[in-house]
Amino acid sequence: MNAGEIKALLQARGLTPNRALGQNFLVDEAAAAAIAGASGAAKFPVLEIGPGLGALTEALLRLSSQVVAVEIDAAMISILKERFSSAKNLLLRHEDFLDTDLDALKPLLGTQCAVAANLPYYVTTPICMKLLTSELPIAHMALMLQKEAAERFTTLPGSRQYGPLTVLAQRYYEVKTLMTLPPARYYPQPDVDSVVLTLCHRPDVSVLPALPRILATAFSMRRKTLLNNLRSAGLSKESAEALLEQCSISPAARAEALPPEAFARLATQWEAEMSK
Ligand code: SAM
């Protein structure tokens, strides 16, 4: 659908795009097809977050055996039900993705799955953290985000944007930029460019259950050293120093300077200590 068609569809139902829900609908069908292709939908069942009016959903349905789409807005759900009434491979869930029980979706998404989303900007970080810390067997993702949010996936240690999301994404996935889309590819137009990232799960890394907690602790006060942040989290000075030394990390280091591998060492060591 182009911008005029979307406007007419919404107007006919007495609706306007809900800015509070980050509703900027994609009006570029070629981009939707490219994103669906890059998401891994041709190989795996796919989870879509925020299908909206179905721009990306339509492209995913063409490729995937099963699309599970989670949308918060009842008005969008009703339009999607009509638009895709004959699609046997679409399961719509009307709920806030942050409340979605991902364990309950596992049987629908199989042993490996894909994720595709044009993410609502107001809730990008919690949605991405939920995906990156979930136990879903995600093999591929294609995520459309505002440019600044995308930089947090691709940035390097030492930058302002570097944080827990960066470490989790880069530890578990190979992150690539697929394309940049200007505001004119959406209705209504957002204020900034969007970037589509692809994330391909690294086969050689094991899940570190302690990593999210270590990251939350390490980045809790960005200006403090890692040692002091560990101490604020309840570790004694001696234990925190010993932990850092075992991981070959300087006690004077700040979290933002450490590469993802250093956090992986820290999480591994932490888990080993906890299981003693
Ligand atoms: N996928 C559509 C597209 O590309 O045109 C719509 C994308 S729009 C940027 C974001 C969509 O996410 C909207 O449909 C919005 O209602 C939905 N949404 C916002 N917050 C959500 C949440 N917490 N859980 C699920 N869907 C949400």
Side-chain angles (χ1 to χ4, degrees):
M1 281 188 279
N2 61 36
E5 289 166 338
I6 290 180
K7 223 175 186 170
L9 173 71
L10 293 176
Q11 260 171 13
R13 292 169 178 258
L15 300 170
T16 49
N18 188 333
R19 282 182 188 266
L21 291 180
Q23 290 181 350
N24 299 99
F25 303 107
L26 184 65
V27 296
D28 182 334
E29 285 181 16
I35 295 160
S39 72
K43 278 168 81 183
F44 307 110
V46 56
L47 169 66
E48 184 186 3
I49 302 152
L53 298 168
L56 189 52
T57 320
E58 186 179 36
L60 293 169
L61 286 170
R62 274 194 225 113
L63 295 178
S64 182
S65 57
Q66 175 73 70
V67 178
V68 178
V70 181
E71 169 61 55
I72 198 171
D73 186 350
M76 297 297 116
I77 290 283
S78 137
I79 292 172
L80 290 163
K81 275 187 181 157
E82 267 179 42
R83 184 172 174 192
F84 300 116
S85 59
S86 60
K88 301 262 185 300
N89 53 341
L90 176 62
L91 183 90
L92 289 170
R93 288 181 67 116
H94 175 210
E95 62 192 355
D96 181 336
F97 179 72
L98 295 178
D99 294 335
T100 297
D101 175 3
L102 294 181
D103 281 341
L105 296 189
K106 274 185 184 169
L108 298 164
L109 294 170
T111 51
Q112 279 192 297
C113 68
V115 175
N118 172 8
L119 288 171
Y121 65 87
Y122 78 98
V123 76
T124 295
T125 302
I127 288 179
C128 291
M129 288 301 282
K130 179 163 178 166
L131 289 171
L132 292 169
T133 56
S134 87
E135 286 177 17
L136 277 185
I138 302 171
H140 276 275
M141 296 199 251
L143 303 177
M144 201 182 317
L145 323 136
Q146 289 201 345
K147 201 173 167 192
E148 251 188 51
E151 279 166 9
R152 293 168 52 203
F153 284 77
T154 54
T155 193
L156 296 172
S159 79
R160 188 175 52 83
Q161 296 98 331
Y162 189 78
L165 195 142
T166 324
V167 176
L168 289 166
Q170 295 184 7
R171 164 77 187 165
Y172 292 126
Y173 295 89
E174 191 182 342
V175 184
K176 285 188 183 157
T177 300
L178 181 70
M179 63 175 101
T180 300
L181 291 167
R185 305 290 172 83
Y186 302 87
Y187 171 79
Q189 294 191 18
D191 297 327
V192 295
D193 283 351
S194 297
V195 168
V196 181
L197 298 176
T198 58
L199 288 85
C200 182
H201 200 271
R202 295 182 187 281
D204 53 332
V205 295
S206 54
V207 175
L208 297 167
L211 188 55
R213 196 167 147 216
I214 289 280
L215 290 168
T217 303
F219 284 95
S220 58
M221 304 281 276
R222 290 183 76 97
R223 291 216 187 124
K224 279 193 181 178
T225 61
L226 192 51
L227 178 70
N228 282 337
N229 276 332
L230 288 171
R231 289 187 64 197
S232 307
L235 248 64
S236 69
K237 187 168 183 276
E238 295 70 33
S239 312
E241 277 173 349
L243 182 64
L244 294 176
E245 196 183 333
Q246 280 154 347
C247 298
S248 312
I249 297 170
S250 157
R254 288 196 169 83
E256 62 189 19
L258 294 178
E261 308 79 69
F263 288 105
R265 289 202 301 277
L266 208 48
T268 308
Q269 192 60 38
W270 176 278
E271 280 164 22
E273 292 294 324
M274 291 296 128
S275 65
K276 272 183 192 166

